[in-house]
Amino acid sequence: MLYADIVLPLAQPLYTFAVAEGLTLCEGMAVAVPFGRTGNNIYTGIVWRLHDRKPDSGRVRTISRTLYETPLVDRKQQAFWEWISDYYMCTLGEVMRFALPSLIKPSGSGEAEFAADEFCPRRELFLSLDGEAKSGAERPLLLERLGRRAPRQREALEQVVALTGADGMVARSCLTADRAALAALVRKGWLIQTERVALGPGALPAACFHLPELSPAQLEAKAKIEEGFASRSTVLLRGVTGSGKTEIYMHLIADVLSRGEQALLLVPEIALTAQLIARLERVFGPRVIAYHSRLTDRKRAETYLRLHNGTGGELVVGVRSAIFLPLRKLGLIVVDEEHDASYKQTEPPPYYQARDCAVMMAHLFGCRTLLGSATPSLESYLNARSGKYGSALLTERYGESQQPQILVSDTIRAVKRGERHTHFNKLLLDRIEETLAGGGQVMLFQNRRGFAPYIECRECGWTPRCPNCNVTLTLHKGANRMVCHYCGHTESVPTQCPHCRVTALTPMGFGTEKVEEEIARIFPQARVARLDRDSVTSERAFRQIVETFAQGASDILIGTQMITKGFDFGGVELVGVLNADNMLNNPDFRSSERAYQLLTQVAGRAGRREMPGVVIIQTAEPDHPVIGWVVSDNYEAMAGEVLAQRKQYFYPPYARLVALRLRHRDPGVLRRAATALGGALRERFGRRVLGPTAPPVDRVRGEYLADLLLKVEAGASFERARRILRETLERLSRMPEYKGVKIFCDVDPQ
Ligand code: ADP
Ligand code: ZN
Ligand code: ZN
C-alpha cells in the first residue's frame, strides 16, 4: 500500500493519507482530500512525500482525486517552502495557505461544494497546422496553389505559420486573418482547431528588445555586477537616486529573457505603479506580468497557472508575495529598494523577509540575485563589504540631472524670531512661493496621516482613547471622525469634553490632512493634492492623483511615505520635510538607519531633470548626526557610525533577533505565561533573553500583549537556537494553565 504525507492549508503538521489503487501520484501534486471529524470537509492538499509506511494511529483516509495535470509545486519550490517553514518557524501548511492563490486551492463541505469552488480558467480556440500545411516540404506547393485559387486562404495560412509558437499552437484571437478563410482551411484538413485553456498571451514574440543606451558610468556598474555574479550568487548595487538603476536592471533582465529564462523584479508595494509597468512594457511588451495586492483573486490564480504552464521568457514585476510564484526557469531576481521595510511580511504568517528569501532562492534555485538601493540596509552593506556579496557602485545621477541641494531649517530658531507660521518656517513658505511662481512643482512630506494625531481637553487634559486598544484616537477632519489606526474603531468627535464638560478640545500635533488645509489657505491659487492611505481609497484614486501630478495638473503634492518611493516626476523642484523630529527619535535600534533612508529617498524626488532641486528639512535638532549625514549625502559615514553602535550593543547585523509576542484577554494569565516563558528561555539562553515587557501599545482589539526578545550573536548557531526555542514553546503550549495564550514568533523582526 502506498501512503502520502499531505500538506493542508492549515496551521497543522502533515497528515498521512492512503493512495487508492490505480491513482497515479507524484510529489508536489495537488489533490482533494477528506478532512475533519466526519471527513465531510474536502480540502486541497499538496503531496509532500510518498512512502509505504502505514501510520500507527487512527483511521487512515484515502485521497479522493488529483487536481491539475502536473505537480503544482516543483522540487525547488518544495525546498523553498521547507526553508521558509524552518527559518521563520511556521508550519508548511501556513506557507501553503499564503503561497497559493485562494482560487487555486478550493475547499468545501462535500464534493459538490468543492467542485463548485474549483477554478475554471477561460477557454479559447487554438489552431495548429496539419497535413500538407504541416510538412515543410509540401507547404510551398500548397501555398502556391492557394495563392492562385483562394488568395485569402493563402494569406490566412501564412499568418498561422508565422505566429505559431514553440508549442505548435496559435490562439485564434491573435489572428487578424479572415474567419471564413480559416474555417475553410480547417474543413480541408490543413488546420486543426482545438479548445484549450487560455492563460496569458500564449507564445511570446521573439526576444528583440529596444533598450535605452547606457551611460559610461552605468556600463561600468553593469560590468561590475556581472563580474560579481561570476563568483557569487548575490550582488549589491548602490546607486544614488536618479542614477538609472532601473535602466541597468532592464539590460540584465533582457539578457536573461533572451536565454529563455525568467526574471523576477521585486519592488515595494507602493512603488509598483502604472508608471513603472508602462516603462517596462515599452521594452518587454507582453512578457511583463504584474503581481500585486490589488489584483483580483481570479487574476491571481490565472497568473499562477500561466507561469505554471509557461515556457520561460517572462518578466514578473511584483511585490514581496511574488517570490511564491512557480518560476521554473528563474535566472535572475532583482530586489529594488532592497532596504525597504515593506519586504517584511507582518500578517499573516509566514513572517518572511522577501529580500532575504530572494538571496536564499539564488542558492536553492541556482539563479542570481541583485539587490539595488540608494541607501542599502546595513545587513546588505556589511555583506557586500565583507565580500559575501559582490558589489557595484553608481555615484552620479544620469544625464544633466544634479543631486539636490539640501537646506536644514531650525524650527526653534524660527519660533524665536517670529518666523514660524503654524507648521511652516518662513524659509519653506518663501521657497514654495518662489517655486510656484516659476512654474515648478512642490512635494511636502509629513510622516503622519489624518488631521491631527489626537485631540486634548485644554482644561483637564482628557484625550479620547480607543476602547479596544491602548492608544489615542486620531482625528480625521474630512470625515469628522476619530479613528483608531490599530483596529479601525471610529467615533464621532465630541462637541465638549465628556470629562469636565468644558468645550475646549484642541487638536494636538499634525498630519497630512492638516497640512493640506493650511497650504490651501496660504496658497489659495495653488492646485493641491494629497497622497496617503485615506485619500487613496482605490487603485483608480491612486492612479488619478499620481497622473494628475505627473502631468503637471497639480502644483503641490502632500503625502506620507507613499510619496517617497520610486516616483520619477520631472517637474518637482522643491521638496519639503515638515517634521524630521519624529523620525529621529523613534525608540527603535533601526531609527537612525531608517531616518537616513527615508530622508534621502524623499530628497531624491527633487530635481530629477535639468532644473536643480532644493530640499528643505524642518527640524528642532539641526545638529542631529543623521541630519548631517543626509545633508552631506554621506552614506558611508552613517553606515560606519551606526554599525559601530550595533556591534557594541549586539544588534543586527551582529546578532539575530527573534521577537516573541504573547496575547491573551486576561492580563493575569498573560503575565504569568510571559514570565514562565521568559524563565524557561533564560535557563537555556541566559542573558540573551530580554523581557517580558509591555509593548508601547499593550492592548489591541481587546487582547493584552507582552513581548520577549531573543538575541543570538552572529557567531552562534541560529539553527540550534531556533530548535531550542521551538521545543520550549511546545512544552509551554501543553501546560493547561496557559491554555488560550497565543504566541507569535517573528524571526528577524523589522
Ligand atoms: P533610479 O532608479 O536609480 O532612481 P531611474 O532609473 O528612475 O533612477 O532613472 C532616473 C531618470 O533618468 C529616469 O527618468 C530615466 O528614464 C533616466 N535615465 C536613466 N538612465 C538612462 C539611460 N541610460 N538612457 C535614458 N534615460 C535614462
Ligand atoms: Zn483600536
Ligand atoms: Zn476636560
Side-chain angles (χ1 to χ4, degrees):
M1 191 71 187
L2 196 59
Y3 295 93
D5 294 344
I6 306 266
V7 180
L8 295 170
L10 306 165
Q12 307 244 356
L14 303 193
Y15 283 90
T16 305
F17 288 80
V19 181
E21 208 67 51
L23 188 70
T24 338
L25 278 189
C26 58
E27 289 171 6
M29 260 192 163
V31 289
V33 292
F35 195 70
R37 211 164 39 83
T38 57
N40 277 342
N41 291 336
I42 302 183
Y43 280 104
T44 301
I46 301 290
V47 177
W48 211 251
R49 273 187 296 268
L50 289 164
H51 56 83
D52 54 10
R53 296 181 308 277
K54 185 175 169 18
D56 6 283
S57 63
R59 195 163 65 85
V60 182
R61 292 206 175 102
T62 308
I63 294 171
S64 310
R65 61 187 168 97
T66 57
L67 309 166
Y68 312 102
E69 281 140 35
T70 50
L72 202 56
V73 175
D74 72 353
R75 297 252 171 222
K76 288 180 192 168
Q77 276 173 293
Q78 277 195 307
F80 181 49
W81 286 20
E82 288 197 339
W83 178 78
I84 294 247
S85 130
D86 175 61
Y87 188 84
Y88 292 105
M89 302 187 58
C90 61
T91 65
L92 279 170
E94 286 172 300
V95 182
M96 171 186 175
R97 189 164 62 185
F98 183 76
L100 295 180
S102 57
L103 294 184
I104 298 263
K105 43 179 200 304
S107 63
S109 55
E111 175 61 33
E113 206 182 293
F114 183 89
D117 199 24
E118 250 178 286
F119 181 64
C120 307
R122 261 180 317 114
R123 299 182 78 82
E124 209 185 327
L125 285 179
F126 283 82
L127 295 169
S128 56
L129 299 164
D130 202 32
E132 287 164 83
K134 193 174 182 179
S135 137
E138 296 171 48
R139 194 189 303 139
L141 277 174
L142 173 63
L143 284 172
E144 198 194 304
R145 227 164 61 220
L146 284 176
R148 273 182 274 123
R149 289 207 312 256
R152 288 195 169 188
Q153 288 179 31
R154 181 195 158 120
E155 218 175 281
L157 189 56
E158 279 179 328
Q159 197 182 34
V160 173
V161 172
L163 293 178
T164 292
D167 56 353
M169 301 267 202
V170 56
R172 205 183 69 180
S173 60
C174 294
L175 300 169
T176 53
D178 186 63
R179 283 289 151 93
L182 285 170
L185 292 170
V186 172
R187 250 190 343 266
K188 291 177 188 164
W190 291 316
L191 291 182
I192 299 179
Q193 184 166 296
T194 34
E195 204 189 57
R196 216 177 62 167
V197 169
L199 291 166
L204 293 166
C208 135
F209 309 122
H210 299 284
L211 291 160
E213 205 172 308
L214 294 184
S215 69
Q218 290 171 340
L219 278 174
E220 201 179 313
K222 181 174 179 254
K224 280 290 276 190
I225 293 168
E226 282 162 344
E227 188 189 310
F229 281 150
S231 57
R232 294 173 183 85
S233 57
T234 302
V235 172
L236 173 67
L237 165 65
R238 178 150 66 88
V240 297
T241 54
S243 57
K245 293 185 286 297
T246 317
E247 276 68 20
I248 295 181
Y249 303 158
M250 288 197 240
H251 276 257
L252 295 167
I253 289 167
D255 293 344
V256 167
L257 301 189
S258 309
R259 290 201 298 267
E261 296 176 346
Q262 295 161 321
L264 172 61
L265 172 58
L266 289 179
V267 295
E269 178 77 55
I270 29 196
L272 184 47
T273 56
Q275 221 184 2
L276 175 67
I277 297 283
R279 216 165 137 191
L280 292 166
E281 274 178 348
R282 245 174 278 136
V283 175
F284 301 110
R287 290 163 181 270
V288 177
I289 301 174
Y291 197 74
H292 51 78
S293 63
R294 296 179 301 266
L295 294 182
T296 60
D297 284 347
R298 188 167 184 87
K299 188 79 195 154
R300 223 175 262 276
E302 279 176 2
T303 305
Y304 193 97
L305 292 178
R306 173 179 169 190
L307 289 164
H308 175 68
N309 301 328
T311 49
E314 297 93 354
L315 163 61
V316 175
V317 190
V319 296
R320 59 171 186 262
S321 57
I323 58 169
F324 291 106
L325 288 170
L327 298 159
R328 311 265 146 89
K329 289 193 168 180
L330 190 57
L332 175 71
I333 310 177
V334 178
V335 187
D336 190 27
E337 313 282 5
E338 68 86 36
H339 64 278
D340 197 281
S342 76
Y343 284 123
K344 173 77 177 179
Q345 167 104 338
T346 45
E347 208 58 56
Y351 306 125
Y352 64 100
Q353 211 310 347
R355 178 238 300 145
D356 297 347
C357 290
V359 171
M360 193 58 203
M361 284 160 87
H363 285 284
L364 291 175
F365 294 15
C367 65
R368 299 276 178 260
T369 294
L370 176 65
L371 310 177
S373 173
T375 52
S377 65
L378 292 174
E379 285 84 349
S380 300
Y381 172 77
L382 194 66
N383 280 329
R385 208 175 67 178
S386 72
K388 194 170 151 202
Y389 298 167
S391 70
L393 201 60
L394 262 176
T395 52
E396 57 185 55
R397 280 193 165 184
Y398 174 79
E400 301 300 305
S401 166
Q402 293 299 308
Q403 285 288 15
Q405 182 194 10
I406 302 179
L407 307 174
V408 181
S409 182
D410 183 338
T411 45
I412 307 233
R413 203 170 67 156
V415 171
K416 281 188 195 145
R417 293 181 169 187
E419 290 182 348
R420 187 153 166 93
H421 183 78
T422 66
H423 302 298
F424 309 95
N425 296 354
K426 186 169 178 300
L427 177 70
L428 182 56
L429 289 178
D430 288 349
R431 290 301 182 106
I432 294 176
E433 195 169 314
E434 277 167 37
T435 307
L436 293 179
Q441 286 177 302
V442 178
M443 275 172 116
L444 295 177
F445 173 76
Q446 169 58 14
N447 218 3
R448 277 210 177 107
R449 64 199 175 99
F451 186 78
Y454 60 100
I455 54 180
E456 193 177 89
C457 172
R458 267 197 215 157
E459 213 52 44
C460 72
W462 178 88
T463 59
R465 303 182 76 84
C466 176
N468 315 314
C469 313
N470 190 12
V471 282
T472 52
L473 297 172
T474 302
L475 176 63
H476 288 233
K477 204 180 176 198
N480 198 33
R481 310 277 306 165
M482 299 185 301
V483 182
C484 171
H485 286 187
Y486 281 80
C487 73
H489 168 88
T490 78
E491 277 177 28
S492 56
V493 184
T495 44
Q496 56 169 210
C497 170
H499 190 242
C500 69
R501 311 272 163 206
V502 176
T503 348
L505 286 168
T506 316
M508 305 291 286
F510 67 111
T512 42
E513 211 182 319
K514 179 100 175 284
V515 176
E516 183 187 19
E517 189 185 277
E518 285 172 0
I519 282 289
R521 210 182 50 236
I522 303 169
F523 301 102
Q525 76 290 1
R527 294 161 300 177
V528 182
R530 198 180 92 222
L531 197 67
D532 57 31
R533 245 195 293 160
D534 302 307
S535 70
V536 174
T537 46
S538 66
E539 170 76 4
R540 247 188 64 217
F542 179 81
R543 260 218 307 271
Q544 207 202 332
I545 298 168
V546 170
E547 273 165 26
T548 308
F549 192 67
Q551 288 156 7
S554 52
D555 306 307
I556 303 179
L557 182 64
I558 296 160
T560 52
Q561 237 94 308
M562 268 197 189
I563 62 170
T564 63
K565 284 173 199 168
F567 286 120
D568 188 32
F569 298 123
V572 178
E573 289 166 26
L574 177 67
V575 168
V577 177
L578 293 178
N579 178 11
D581 303 343
N582 53 21
M583 290 177 245
L584 299 176
N585 298 317
N586 258 334
D588 168 4
F589 75 92
R590 283 189 221 271
S591 79
S592 287
E593 179 187 357
R594 289 246 182 279
Y596 178 85
Q597 286 162 342
L598 197 55
L599 289 171
T600 305
Q601 294 288 345
V602 180
R605 300 311 114 206
R608 291 174 70 91
R609 299 292 185 275
E610 300 76 31
M611 284 300 283
V614 175
V615 180
I616 296 176
I617 301 176
Q618 298 191 148
T619 172
E621 290 177 77
D623 299 326
H624 195 289
V626 169
I627 300 285
W629 297 321
V630 172
V631 170
S632 57
D633 192 19
N634 198 342
Y635 175 87
E636 248 124 27
M638 182 281 293
E641 178 67 29
V642 175
L643 280 175
Q645 288 166 13
R646 301 263 187 98
K647 193 169 191 170
Q648 188 180 352
Y649 297 106
F650 272 129
Y651 275 103
Y654 301 100
R656 320 205 77 143
L657 307 180
V658 183
L660 299 161
R661 171 156 288 182
L662 293 81
R663 290 200 335 217
H664 198 269
R665 297 207 151 261
D666 181 331
V669 174
L670 179 80
R671 200 177 51 243
R672 285 191 295 278
T675 312
L677 179 58
L681 289 174
R682 259 187 207 99
E683 270 173 34
R684 304 299 302 269
F685 293 108
R687 290 196 307 158
R688 297 184 185 89
V689 182
L690 306 181
T693 53
V697 178
D698 63 357
R699 194 163 73 101
V700 172
R701 293 190 177 89
E703 284 184 314
Y704 289 87
L705 313 179
D707 285 349
L708 283 156
L709 188 68
L710 178 64
K711 272 167 121 181
V712 183
E713 62 275 22
S717 165
F718 192 45
E719 204 181 322
R720 186 159 162 267
R722 289 198 313 274
R723 202 184 59 232
I724 296 172
L725 179 57
R726 218 174 277 134
E727 289 162 7
T728 313
L729 290 173
E730 258 161 40
R731 239 181 310 123
L732 196 84
S733 70
R734 282 196 298 270
M735 296 188 187
E737 61 264 48
Y738 306 129
K739 197 165 173 285
V741 176
K742 286 173 243 152
I743 306 179
F744 300 84
C745 282
D746 186 359
V747 178
D748 298 339
Q750 290 284 313

